[in-house]
Amino acid sequence: MRIALTSLVLSAALALGACASTATPGPEQTELERLAADCKAREGILQASGANTGRPELDNVCMIRGGPIRAR
């Protein structure tokens, strides 16, 4: 009986999790997508900075690899 109850609770939790993941993106997600597009336009890669402030512009940095080749 205990196994059946545990299985039922876990199934309900998974079902709720699946519904939550299909929600519309919040303002943080759209800001993150805008930052990624801006970084890609500058030929960079958006990477996590290690901060966890909830503000995508502070939590991510645009790493630009390469750069202009200088003639001697």
PDB file of all heavy atoms in Angstrom, residues 2-28:
ATOM      1  N   ARG A   2       1.943   1.216   0.773  1.00  0.00           N
ATOM      2  CA  ARG A   2       2.822   2.374   0.868  1.00  0.00           C
ATOM      3  C   ARG A   2       3.500   2.644  -0.473  1.00  0.00           C
ATOM      4  O   ARG A   2       3.669   3.798  -0.872  1.00  0.00           O
ATOM      5  CB  ARG A   2       3.858   2.135   1.957  1.00  0.00           C
ATOM      6  CG  ARG A   2       4.737   3.341   2.182  1.00  0.00           C
ATOM      7  CD  ARG A   2       5.660   3.133   3.334  1.00  0.00           C
ATOM      8  NE  ARG A   2       4.898   3.345   4.561  1.00  0.00           N
ATOM      9  CZ  ARG A   2       5.390   3.245   5.765  1.00  0.00           C
ATOM     10  NH1 ARG A   2       6.645   2.897   5.923  1.00  0.00           N
ATOM     11  NH2 ARG A   2       4.651   3.469   6.827  1.00  0.00           N
ATOM     12  N   ILE A   3       3.873   1.593  -1.184  1.00  0.00           N
ATOM     13  CA  ILE A   3       4.519   1.753  -2.491  1.00  0.00           C
ATOM     14  C   ILE A   3       3.537   2.361  -3.488  1.00  0.00           C
ATOM     15  O   ILE A   3       3.899   3.248  -4.269  1.00  0.00           O
ATOM     16  CB  ILE A   3       5.061   0.403  -2.994  1.00  0.00           C
ATOM     17  CG1 ILE A   3       6.206  -0.058  -2.087  1.00  0.00           C
ATOM     18  CG2 ILE A   3       5.520   0.511  -4.430  1.00  0.00           C
ATOM     19  CD1 ILE A   3       6.703  -1.445  -2.397  1.00  0.00           C
ATOM     20  N   ALA A   4       2.301   1.927  -3.462  1.00  0.00           N
ATOM     21  CA  ALA A   4       1.288   2.469  -4.371  1.00  0.00           C
ATOM     22  C   ALA A   4       1.045   3.949  -4.083  1.00  0.00           C
ATOM     23  O   ALA A   4       0.930   4.759  -5.008  1.00  0.00           O
ATOM     24  CB  ALA A   4      -0.010   1.682  -4.245  1.00  0.00           C
ATOM     25  N   LEU A   5       1.001   4.321  -2.818  1.00  0.00           N
ATOM     26  CA  LEU A   5       0.789   5.725  -2.446  1.00  0.00           C
ATOM     27  C   LEU A   5       1.979   6.580  -2.875  1.00  0.00           C
ATOM     28  O   LEU A   5       1.806   7.672  -3.421  1.00  0.00           O
ATOM     29  CB  LEU A   5       0.558   5.834  -0.934  1.00  0.00           C
ATOM     30  CG  LEU A   5       0.233   7.222  -0.407  1.00  0.00           C
ATOM     31  CD1 LEU A   5      -1.031   7.758  -1.058  1.00  0.00           C
ATOM     32  CD2 LEU A   5       0.088   7.194   1.099  1.00  0.00           C
ATOM     33  N   THR A   6       3.182   6.070  -2.677  1.00  0.00           N
ATOM     34  CA  THR A   6       4.385   6.795  -3.093  1.00  0.00           C
ATOM     35  C   THR A   6       4.414   6.963  -4.604  1.00  0.00           C
ATOM     36  O   THR A   6       4.746   8.038  -5.116  1.00  0.00           O
ATOM     37  CB  THR A   6       5.640   6.043  -2.613  1.00  0.00           C
ATOM     38  OG1 THR A   6       5.573   5.883  -1.199  1.00  0.00           O
ATOM     39  CG2 THR A   6       6.900   6.801  -2.968  1.00  0.00           C
ATOM     40  N   SER A   7       4.048   5.916  -5.325  1.00  0.00           N
ATOM     41  CA  SER A   7       4.016   5.995  -6.784  1.00  0.00           C
ATOM     42  C   SER A   7       2.990   7.013  -7.261  1.00  0.00           C
ATOM     43  O   SER A   7       3.241   7.768  -8.210  1.00  0.00           O
ATOM     44  CB  SER A   7       3.685   4.634  -7.382  1.00  0.00           C
ATOM     45  OG  SER A   7       4.676   3.713  -7.076  1.00  0.00           O
ATOM     46  N   LEU A   8       1.854   7.066  -6.610  1.00  0.00           N
ATOM     47  CA  LEU A   8       0.813   8.019  -6.973  1.00  0.00           C
ATOM     48  C   LEU A   8       1.279   9.453  -6.746  1.00  0.00           C
ATOM     49  O   LEU A   8       1.085  10.327  -7.595  1.00  0.00           O
ATOM     50  CB  LEU A   8      -0.461   7.738  -6.171  1.00  0.00           C
ATOM     51  CG  LEU A   8      -1.647   8.655  -6.446  1.00  0.00           C
ATOM     52  CD1 LEU A   8      -2.100   8.490  -7.889  1.00  0.00           C
ATOM     53  CD2 LEU A   8      -2.782   8.343  -5.492  1.00  0.00           C
ATOM     54  N   VAL A   9       1.933   9.694  -5.631  1.00  0.00           N
ATOM     55  CA  VAL A   9       2.434  11.037  -5.322  1.00  0.00           C
ATOM     56  C   VAL A   9       3.510  11.442  -6.321  1.00  0.00           C
ATOM     57  O   VAL A   9       3.514  12.568  -6.828  1.00  0.00           O
ATOM     58  CB  VAL A   9       2.958  11.099  -3.875  1.00  0.00           C
ATOM     59  CG1 VAL A   9       3.701  12.391  -3.609  1.00  0.00           C
ATOM     60  CG2 VAL A   9       1.809  10.937  -2.887  1.00  0.00           C
ATOM     61  N   LEU A  10       4.417  10.537  -6.633  1.00  0.00           N
ATOM     62  CA  LEU A  10       5.470  10.850  -7.604  1.00  0.00           C
ATOM     63  C   LEU A  10       4.898  11.097  -8.998  1.00  0.00           C
ATOM     64  O   LEU A  10       5.354  12.004  -9.709  1.00  0.00           O
ATOM     65  CB  LEU A  10       6.495   9.722  -7.650  1.00  0.00           C
ATOM     66  CG  LEU A  10       7.422   9.626  -6.443  1.00  0.00           C
ATOM     67  CD1 LEU A  10       8.312   8.407  -6.559  1.00  0.00           C
ATOM     68  CD2 LEU A  10       8.252  10.880  -6.298  1.00  0.00           C
ATOM     69  N   SER A  11       3.902  10.331  -9.389  1.00  0.00           N
ATOM     70  CA  SER A  11       3.268  10.536 -10.695  1.00  0.00           C
ATOM     71  C   SER A  11       2.590  11.895 -10.768  1.00  0.00           C
ATOM     72  O   SER A  11       2.678  12.594 -11.783  1.00  0.00           O
ATOM     73  CB  SER A  11       2.238   9.437 -10.962  1.00  0.00           C
ATOM     74  OG  SER A  11       2.857   8.195 -11.012  1.00  0.00           O
ATOM     75  N   ALA A  12       1.926  12.282  -9.696  1.00  0.00           N
ATOM     76  CA  ALA A  12       1.272  13.590  -9.662  1.00  0.00           C
ATOM     77  C   ALA A  12       2.301  14.709  -9.735  1.00  0.00           C
ATOM     78  O   ALA A  12       2.106  15.708 -10.435  1.00  0.00           O
ATOM     79  CB  ALA A  12       0.419  13.718  -8.404  1.00  0.00           C
ATOM     80  N   ALA A  13       3.414  14.559  -9.041  1.00  0.00           N
ATOM     81  CA  ALA A  13       4.463  15.577  -9.073  1.00  0.00           C
ATOM     82  C   ALA A  13       5.060  15.710 -10.470  1.00  0.00           C
ATOM     83  O   ALA A  13       5.314  16.816 -10.948  1.00  0.00           O
ATOM     84  CB  ALA A  13       5.546  15.234  -8.059  1.00  0.00           C
ATOM     85  N   LEU A  14       5.281  14.587 -11.139  1.00  0.00           N
ATOM     86  CA  LEU A  14       5.812  14.626 -12.499  1.00  0.00           C
ATOM     87  C   LEU A  14       4.826  15.268 -13.471  1.00  0.00           C
ATOM     88  O   LEU A  14       5.214  16.026 -14.360  1.00  0.00           O
ATOM     89  CB  LEU A  14       6.176  13.222 -12.975  1.00  0.00           C
ATOM     90  CG  LEU A  14       7.420  12.622 -12.349  1.00  0.00           C
ATOM     91  CD1 LEU A  14       7.586  11.174 -12.771  1.00  0.00           C
ATOM     92  CD2 LEU A  14       8.639  13.430 -12.717  1.00  0.00           C
ATOM     93  N   ALA A  15       3.556  14.978 -13.304  1.00  0.00           N
ATOM     94  CA  ALA A  15       2.537  15.565 -14.174  1.00  0.00           C
ATOM     95  C   ALA A  15       2.471  17.079 -13.987  1.00  0.00           C
ATOM     96  O   ALA A  15       2.375  17.836 -14.961  1.00  0.00           O
ATOM     97  CB  ALA A  15       1.176  14.937 -13.896  1.00  0.00           C
ATOM     98  N   LEU A  16       2.544  17.528 -12.754  1.00  0.00           N
ATOM     99  CA  LEU A  16       2.535  18.968 -12.505  1.00  0.00           C
ATOM    100  C   LEU A  16       3.794  19.630 -13.037  1.00  0.00           C
ATOM    101  O   LEU A  16       3.750  20.738 -13.563  1.00  0.00           O
ATOM    102  CB  LEU A  16       2.394  19.251 -11.005  1.00  0.00           C
ATOM    103  CG  LEU A  16       1.020  18.982 -10.405  1.00  0.00           C
ATOM    104  CD1 LEU A  16       1.071  19.168  -8.899  1.00  0.00           C
ATOM    105  CD2 LEU A  16      -0.023  19.888 -11.025  1.00  0.00           C
ATOM    106  N   GLY A  17       4.904  18.957 -12.934  1.00  0.00           N
ATOM    107  CA  GLY A  17       6.151  19.494 -13.472  1.00  0.00           C
ATOM    108  C   GLY A  17       6.109  19.624 -14.973  1.00  0.00           C
ATOM    109  O   GLY A  17       6.631  20.578 -15.549  1.00  0.00           O
ATOM    110  N   ALA A  18       5.486  18.678 -15.639  1.00  0.00           N
ATOM    111  CA  ALA A  18       5.371  18.741 -17.098  1.00  0.00           C
ATOM    112  C   ALA A  18       4.480  19.905 -17.514  1.00  0.00           C
ATOM    113  O   ALA A  18       4.754  20.586 -18.505  1.00  0.00           O
ATOM    114  CB  ALA A  18       4.808  17.433 -17.638  1.00  0.00           C
ATOM    115  N   CYS A  19       3.440  20.165 -16.780  1.00  0.00           N
ATOM    116  CA  CYS A  19       2.565  21.289 -17.096  1.00  0.00           C
ATOM    117  C   CYS A  19       3.273  22.613 -16.858  1.00  0.00           C
ATOM    118  O   CYS A  19       3.098  23.563 -17.599  1.00  0.00           O
ATOM    119  CB  CYS A  19       1.292  21.240 -16.244  1.00  0.00           C
ATOM    120  SG  CYS A  19       0.202  19.882 -16.680  1.00  0.00           S
ATOM    121  N   ALA A  20       4.066  22.687 -15.824  1.00  0.00           N
ATOM    122  CA  ALA A  20       4.759  23.934 -15.495  1.00  0.00           C
ATOM    123  C   ALA A  20       5.810  24.276 -16.542  1.00  0.00           C
ATOM    124  O   ALA A  20       6.083  25.443 -16.786  1.00  0.00           O
ATOM    125  CB  ALA A  20       5.399  23.818 -14.120  1.00  0.00           C
ATOM    126  N   SER A  21       6.408  23.270 -17.175  1.00  0.00           N
ATOM    127  CA  SER A  21       7.474  23.546 -18.127  1.00  0.00           C
ATOM    128  C   SER A  21       6.951  24.054 -19.471  1.00  0.00           C
ATOM    129  O   SER A  21       7.721  24.557 -20.269  1.00  0.00           O
ATOM    130  CB  SER A  21       8.321  22.290 -18.339  1.00  0.00           C
ATOM    131  OG  SER A  21       7.550  21.301 -18.956  1.00  0.00           O
ATOM    132  N   THR A  22       5.653  23.958 -19.719  1.00  0.00           N
ATOM    133  CA  THR A  22       5.113  24.420 -20.992  1.00  0.00           C
ATOM    134  C   THR A  22       4.510  25.814 -20.882  1.00  0.00           C
ATOM    135  O   THR A  22       3.865  26.278 -21.812  1.00  0.00           O
ATOM    136  CB  THR A  22       4.032  23.448 -21.511  1.00  0.00           C
ATOM    137  OG1 THR A  22       2.993  23.357 -20.537  1.00  0.00           O
ATOM    138  CG2 THR A  22       4.630  22.079 -21.784  1.00  0.00           C
ATOM    139  N   ALA A  23       4.725  26.485 -19.767  1.00  0.00           N
ATOM    140  CA  ALA A  23       4.185  27.831 -19.573  1.00  0.00           C
ATOM    141  C   ALA A  23       4.915  28.824 -20.484  1.00  0.00           C
ATOM    142  O   ALA A  23       6.001  28.558 -20.983  1.00  0.00           O
ATOM    143  CB  ALA A  23       4.327  28.241 -18.122  1.00  0.00           C
ATOM    144  N   THR A  24       4.315  29.977 -20.695  1.00  0.00           N
ATOM    145  CA  THR A  24       4.941  31.007 -21.518  1.00  0.00           C
ATOM    146  C   THR A  24       6.165  31.544 -20.800  1.00  0.00           C
ATOM    147  O   THR A  24       6.201  31.596 -19.578  1.00  0.00           O
ATOM    148  CB  THR A  24       3.952  32.161 -21.794  1.00  0.00           C
ATOM    149  OG1 THR A  24       3.545  32.710 -20.535  1.00  0.00           O
ATOM    150  CG2 THR A  24       2.750  31.676 -22.562  1.00  0.00           C
ATOM    151  N   PRO A  25       7.192  31.938 -21.553  1.00  0.00           N
ATOM    152  CA  PRO A  25       8.417  32.425 -20.924  1.00  0.00           C
ATOM    153  C   PRO A  25       8.173  33.742 -20.194  1.00  0.00           C
ATOM    154  O   PRO A  25       7.408  34.592 -20.637  1.00  0.00           O
ATOM    155  CB  PRO A  25       9.378  32.607 -22.099  1.00  0.00           C
ATOM    156  CG  PRO A  25       8.530  32.688 -23.303  1.00  0.00           C
ATOM    157  CD  PRO A  25       7.273  31.927 -22.999  1.00  0.00           C
ATOM    158  N   GLY A  26       8.845  33.884 -19.071  1.00  0.00           N
ATOM    159  CA  GLY A  26       8.726  35.097 -18.275  1.00  0.00           C
ATOM    160  C   GLY A  26       9.648  36.180 -18.796  1.00  0.00           C
ATOM    161  O   GLY A  26      10.384  35.986 -19.769  1.00  0.00           O
ATOM    162  N   PRO A  27       9.649  37.335 -18.149  1.00  0.00           N
ATOM    163  CA  PRO A  27      10.498  38.435 -18.614  1.00  0.00           C
ATOM    164  C   PRO A  27      11.987  38.110 -18.528  1.00  0.00           C
ATOM    165  O   PRO A  27      12.770  38.576 -19.352  1.00  0.00           O
ATOM    166  CB  PRO A  27      10.133  39.590 -17.690  1.00  0.00           C
ATOM    167  CG  PRO A  27       9.339  39.025 -16.581  1.00  0.00           C
ATOM    168  CD  PRO A  27       8.831  37.705 -17.020  1.00  0.00           C
ATOM    169  N   GLU A  28      12.395  37.276 -17.554  1.00  0.00           N
ATOM    170  CA  GLU A  28      13.806  36.918 -17.454  1.00  0.00           C
ATOM    171  C   GLU A  28      14.243  36.084 -18.647  1.00  0.00           C
ATOM    172  O   GLU A  28      15.336  36.263 -19.169  1.00  0.00           O
ATOM    173  CB  GLU A  28      14.086  36.143 -16.160  1.00  0.00           C
ATOM    174  CG  GLU A  28      13.881  36.938 -14.898  1.00  0.00           C
ATOM    175  CD  GLU A  28      12.453  36.893 -14.394  1.00  0.00           C
ATOM    176  OE1 GLU A  28      11.657  36.068 -14.914  1.00  0.00           O
ATOM    177  OE2 GLU A  28      12.119  37.690 -13.523  1.00  0.00           O
TER     178      GLU A  28
END
